[in-house]
Amino acid sequence: FLKVFTAKHFVDKAHSFMVGDKLLDVEAGRNYGIASILVGTGYGREQHQKDMDRGVNPVYDHYGETLMDAARWIVEKGQV
């Protein structure tokens, strides 16, 4: 989807983010070359806890409990 979209529209990857509640969402962002944020809504909290319990490096750049947490992280990065 992202490659199809960018074939028609310019995407500034340095200032773009993928926010999702599933690994599939954040992996898509990572594979596309943009920062990815897993949120704790839906499946995200469970996935984040599994990652922490297993001690694995997550495929997402940031975890936020809520969409507001994700938005704050984006603003704090100063890329908006």
Side-chain angles (χ1 to χ4, degrees):
F1 169 77
L2 293 173
K3 289 180 181 181
V4 172
F5 180 81
T6 55
K8 295 181 181 183
H9 307 281
F10 172 74
V11 174
D12 182 356
K13 290 183 180 183
H15 296 95
S16 299
F17 301 86
M18 174 64 83
V19 178
D21 71 338
K22 296 179 186 168
L23 274 185
L24 183 64
D25 302 331
V26 293
E27 286 172 341
R30 174 64 64 91
N31 290 338
Y32 185 63
I34 59 178
S36 60
I37 305 166
L38 182 70
V39 291
T41 59
Y43 300 99
R45 182 176 296 116
E46 181 180 335
Q47 181 61 54
H48 179 68
Q49 190 59 54
K50 284 180 185 178
D51 292 344
M52 296 301 102
D53 291 347
R54 292 179 184 150
V56 299
N57 288 328
V59 298
Y60 40 92
D61 298 296
H62 180 71
Y63 172 78
E65 274 296 312
T66 66
L67 189 55
M68 183 61 77
D69 293 334
R72 282 188 190 108
W73 185 76
I74 291 169
V75 170
E76 286 171 6
K77 288 187 67 66
Q79 294 182 335
V80 292

